[in-house]
Amino acid sequence: MPGENESWDSLDEWARLAATLKYIDGYATQDVEQLVRLIGAQKAGSRVIERIEQKPAEHNIGHLPTRLPTDSTRRVFLYSKENTSVGYMIRLIHQLAVQEPGGGENATVHQLESLLKGFSAVERAARRNAGRLSTANQALAEEGQR
């Protein structure tokens, strides 16, 4: 997963997390406690949370909520800003949610719409194929009963 000149062992924990997110589905959830441990702290105080919020940004990792909670049992949604599928879609949604209205959001809305149309088309095709498979399985079962 790391770049060609890097070995997995040479990466710090945040770089490993970024590489993992990038190459899996583009997102994952973790407890705040896991992020606290990742930074080498014991407790999720406000200063620790500030340090934690800087680390994902340094490694192209987005997180929701944008202001991390200090409750160590709370779940945080992490996503790769480099992932070309789900992580990218989440980044666009987040960008639209937090940006001030201006001239730049039209392109973001268009990109998000295009991605969602593609996602919806794939989802519809999967449902159609699932329906065909269940019809085929039913026909095979009926044939086996004869």
Side-chain angles (χ1 to χ4, degrees), residues 88 92 95-96 99 102-114:
Y88 182 69
L92 290 175
Q95 188 177 344
L96 283 170
Q99 75 183 16
E105 74 269 3
N106 277 349
T108 306
V109 168
H110 179 68
Q111 289 173 316
L112 181 59
E113 179 186 32
S114 295

Side-chain angles (χ1 to χ4, degrees), residues 25-45:
D25 294 331
Y27 65 93
T29 60
Q30 288 192 346
D31 291 335
V32 169
E33 181 178 1
Q34 292 169 298
L35 299 176
V36 169
R37 285 192 207 131
L38 203 57
I39 206 160
Q42 299 295 318
K43 197 172 171 188

Side-chain angles (χ1 to χ4, degrees), residues 45-57:
S46 61
R47 287 190 181 132
V48 169
I49 291 298
E50 286 177 20
R51 284 188 8 229
I52 292 171
E53 288 176 340
Q54 292 171 0
K55 284 295 187 179

